[in-house]
Amino acid sequence: MTITSGTARLMVGVCTTTGRYREHNEDNFYVPGVGTIHSLTPAALASARMPAAPIDESTAGEPASGVAAALDNLFIVADGMGGQLAGEQASQLAVELIPKELRGRLEPDDDDRKVQGAVRMAVASANREIIAQSHVMPEYTNMGTTVVLALFRRDRAYIAGIGDSRVYRLREGEIQKLTRDHDLASALIDAGTIKPDEAEHHRFRNVLYLYLGSPDARDGPDDVRVVDVRPGDKFLLTSDGLTGVVRDSVMADFLKRHADPQESAQALVQHALVSDSRDNVTCVVIHAE
Ligand code: CA
C-alpha cells in the first residue's frame, strides 16, 4: 500500500500471527486502510504466511493534506497481556482509541511540541479507558498492553512507546532502535546493576514496569521522539514475539533484502517462528521513498 506523507511516499506492509504455541493473538496493529486484527479474515490470521492482500489499495492515491493526512500516516503495534480475553481487549482498545483520540487533537500546522503533546494525550486517554474497563468488567481485570506508534508528518516521524514493543529505523544499512524498553531487566542495565548480555536471559526480561493500563502511564509516553525521514529509510514496528528471538542485525538483513515491505513483514514473522518464538508475532514495515 502506498501513502503520501509530505515529501516522502510511504510503502507499508503488515503481518501478524498467533504463532505455534498460543491459542489467542493478543497482539494488534493499526495500519491506515487495513485497520486492526478485527478487520482481517480468520484465514489470514491463522496463517503465518498471511497473503499480501490485507492492504486496501483503494486508500492509496492523491496526496492528502492537513489533519486527515496526519492520521493516514499513523502506525501502531500493541501487545496485550492479562488472562483469557483480557490481553486481546487491551491491545484492541489501544489500536482503536489512539487513532480516534489523535484525530481530535492534531491541527495541520502544529509544530513539533504540539504534535508531541497530542500523542502523549491520546495515549494517556487510551490508558484511562483501559483502566476504567478493567475496573468495571471482571473478565478484563488487570488487563494491559504495550504500545508503539509512528506518526509521519511532512519530513518527520514522531515515535513513542510504552512497554517492550519496539520501533527501529534502517538507514544506509544501519539499524537503530528508536524506542526504550520498559522492562525491569533494561532498567537494571540503565542503573548499571547488570550488563547488557546478562539481560538476554534475565528473569526480569519480560516483566514490564510501564504499560498501558497502569496508573504509572497516566501521562502517556514520557518521550515522544522526533526523527527526520529520508527517502530510503525503512521503519519496523514490532512486538517482542520477534525481538525476543531475533537479533537486531538479523532484522536489519531482512529489511535490507526485501524491496517490498509486505514481503519483508511476512519474512520477519516467518523467521521468528523458525527461530522458535513461543509468542504472538507482529511486524509493520514502512518504506519511505
Ligand atoms: Ca508478546
Side-chain angles (χ1 to χ4, degrees):
M1 182 173 65
T2 311
I3 293 170
T4 306
S5 169
T7 50
R9 204 167 64 113
L10 303 178
M11 300 284 292
V12 189
V14 55
C15 189
T16 186
T17 182
T18 305
R20 295 187 177 139
Y21 295 84
R22 302 279 178 97
E23 281 181 33
H24 300 277
N25 192 349
E26 298 182 321
D27 283 1
N28 215 319
F29 61 81
Y30 172 82
V31 171
V34 180
T36 73
I37 272 182
H38 280 7
S39 358
L40 296 176
T41 64
L45 271 178
S47 167
R49 293 178 185 278
M50 199 161 68
I55 305 291
D56 179 3
E57 296 288 348
S58 67
T59 58
E62 293 303 304
S65 62
V67 179
L71 282 169
D72 285 347
N73 302 328
L74 173 67
F75 306 90
I76 304 176
V77 165
D79 175 356
M81 57 218 151
Q84 300 298 319
L85 297 173
E88 282 168 80
Q89 174 70 4
S91 59
Q92 180 70 30
L93 283 171
V95 299
E96 274 177 11
L97 293 174
I98 292 172
K100 206 181 289 178
E101 290 292 333
L102 260 181
R103 189 168 288 126
R105 295 174 198 276
L106 287 173
E107 299 291 341
D109 39 8
D110 282 344
D111 58 16
D112 284 347
R113 203 176 49 83
K114 283 193 175 154
V115 176
Q116 289 170 304
V119 168
R120 264 195 294 272
M121 282 189 281
V123 175
S125 171
N127 192 59
R128 278 195 297 277
E129 180 62 24
I130 290 170
I131 291 176
Q133 286 200 16
S134 76
H135 285 165
V136 173
M137 304 165 93
E139 67 268 38
Y140 298 149
T141 302
N142 292 330
M143 69 175 165
T145 184
T146 73
V147 68
V148 282
L149 66 84
L151 171 67
F152 291 79
R153 299 192 96 191
R154 294 180 283 273
D155 56 350
R156 284 159 211 213
Y158 301 84
I159 310 286
I162 290 184
D164 64 354
S165 297
R166 295 179 181 172
V167 180
Y168 290 90
R169 180 179 62 191
L170 183 85
R171 171 174 286 175
E172 287 162 8
E174 296 293 318
I175 194 163
Q176 186 187 3
K177 180 155 80 83
L178 299 177
T179 46
R180 212 150 55 90
D181 296 345
H182 298 118
D183 63 294
L184 288 177
S186 299
L188 291 175
I189 294 172
D190 292 345
T193 312
I194 61 171
K195 297 197 174 69
D197 56 336
E198 290 175 70
E200 210 163 307
H201 303 289
H202 201 278
R203 65 199 166 98
F204 287 159
R205 196 182 77 151
N206 294 314
V207 182
L208 301 182
Y209 64 87
L210 199 61
Y211 54 90
L212 223 53
S214 69
D216 289 344
R218 71 176 71 79
D219 298 325
D222 54 354
D223 179 28
V224 180
R225 196 161 172 179
V226 187
V227 299
D228 69 316
V229 178
R230 295 186 206 156
D233 284 349
K234 296 180 176 182
F235 292 82
L236 167 66
L237 279 66
T238 183
S239 60
D240 70 337
L242 176 72
T243 58
V245 292
V246 179
R247 289 183 182 282
D248 291 6
S249 59
V250 176
M251 287 186 253
D253 291 341
F254 276 88
L255 291 171
K256 281 181 226 173
R257 195 175 306 154
H258 295 280
D260 176 351
Q262 183 61 31
E263 280 178 24
S264 187
Q266 288 175 221
L268 281 163
V269 167
Q270 188 61 30
H271 187 67
L273 297 185
V274 168
S275 309
D276 204 31
S277 178
R278 289 169 178 259
D279 204 352
N280 312 135
V281 190
T282 301
C283 292
V284 173
V285 177
I286 304 147
H287 292 182
E289 299 189 334

